[in-house]
Amino acid sequence: MAEGDELAVADRPDQVGADVASWPTGRLLSVAARVVEKRFEDFLATRGLTHAGMITLHHLADGPRSQRELAVLCRVTDQTMSRTIDHLDRGGHVVRSQDTKDRRRTSVKITPAGRRALAAARREERESDTLLGAVDDYDHFRHQLIALIAAATSTEDQRPQ
């Protein structure tokens, strides 16, 4: 498989050759991320969701939040969050209302349909053989990824500017 063909793996897994075992770990991680991301995006699309929408629903699972608060938690701009909320609202996954304490603020709340979509996405991620269900120990794998991201992030933060 030639460089740059990583996205094709998601659509043609039967053509992944034995050379995959010889790839450097960084490339394995990169290809795995792209394959899982594409498959997960396809799954989410069948439920009228995007990856950004899924993350937003995750942050709404514990209760309503302001649009600004969601933007901060999701690490996006207010404008991006506004578009994500618009999409979720049109799909029936969230409802918006005026904040009772501050009429200038909009409060966003997950709906029962949004909770079902979030639960289905979490279940699919964990149990699907085409996503992370193929991993022997899901919880251990998650902890390893978190450790990897934390280590890489702290290393980036310590680099001289």
Side-chain angles (χ1 to χ4, degrees), residues 31-66:
V31 172
R34 286 184 178 95
V35 170
V36 170
E37 182 176 34
K38 181 179 183 331
R39 289 185 176 173
F40 199 46
E41 284 173 355
D42 292 346
F43 170 81
L44 291 173
T46 67
R47 282 150 178 80
L49 288 175
T50 62
H51 195 77
M54 162 87 174
I55 294 166
T56 302
L57 291 178
H58 166 78
H59 287 296
L60 289 170
D62 292 332
R65 297 185 185 271
S66 72

Side-chain angles (χ1 to χ4, degrees), residues 106-122:
T106 299
S107 181
V108 183
K109 181 180 176 182
I110 192 170
T111 64
R115 285 194 186 283
R116 287 190 300 274
L118 179 61
R122 287 177 172 166

Side-chain angles (χ1 to χ4, degrees), residues 38-139:
K38 181 179 183 331
R39 289 185 176 173
F40 199 46
E41 284 173 355
D42 292 346
F43 170 81
L44 291 173
T46 67
R47 282 150 178 80
L49 288 175
T50 62
H51 195 77
M54 162 87 174
I55 294 166
T56 302
L57 291 178
H58 166 78
H59 287 296
L60 289 170
D62 292 332
R65 297 185 185 271
S66 72
Q67 179 178 313
R68 178 73 191 119
E69 190 178 8
L70 286 168
V72 169
L73 289 169
C74 295
R75 295 179 171 94
V76 298
T77 65
D78 289 340
Q79 295 84 353
T80 299
M81 183 50 59
S82 178
R83 287 190 300 272
T84 300
I85 292 169
D86 285 344
H87 181 80
L88 289 169
D89 187 28
R90 284 192 306 273
H93 296 105
V94 301
V95 292
R96 290 185 265 201
S97 60
Q98 200 170 51
D99 191 305
T100 56
K101 296 176 186 149
D102 183 348
R103 296 169 53 94
R104 296 169 295 176
R105 288 176 29 152
T106 299
S107 181
V108 183
K109 181 180 176 182
I110 192 170
T111 64
R115 285 194 186 283
R116 287 190 300 274
L118 179 61
R122 287 177 172 166
R123 198 170 37 256
E124 181 73 7
E125 176 187 76
R126 184 179 201 102
E127 298 172 4
S128 169
D129 287 339
T130 61
L131 292 174
L132 298 181
V135 172
D136 291 334
D137 186 340
Y138 176 85
D139 291 324

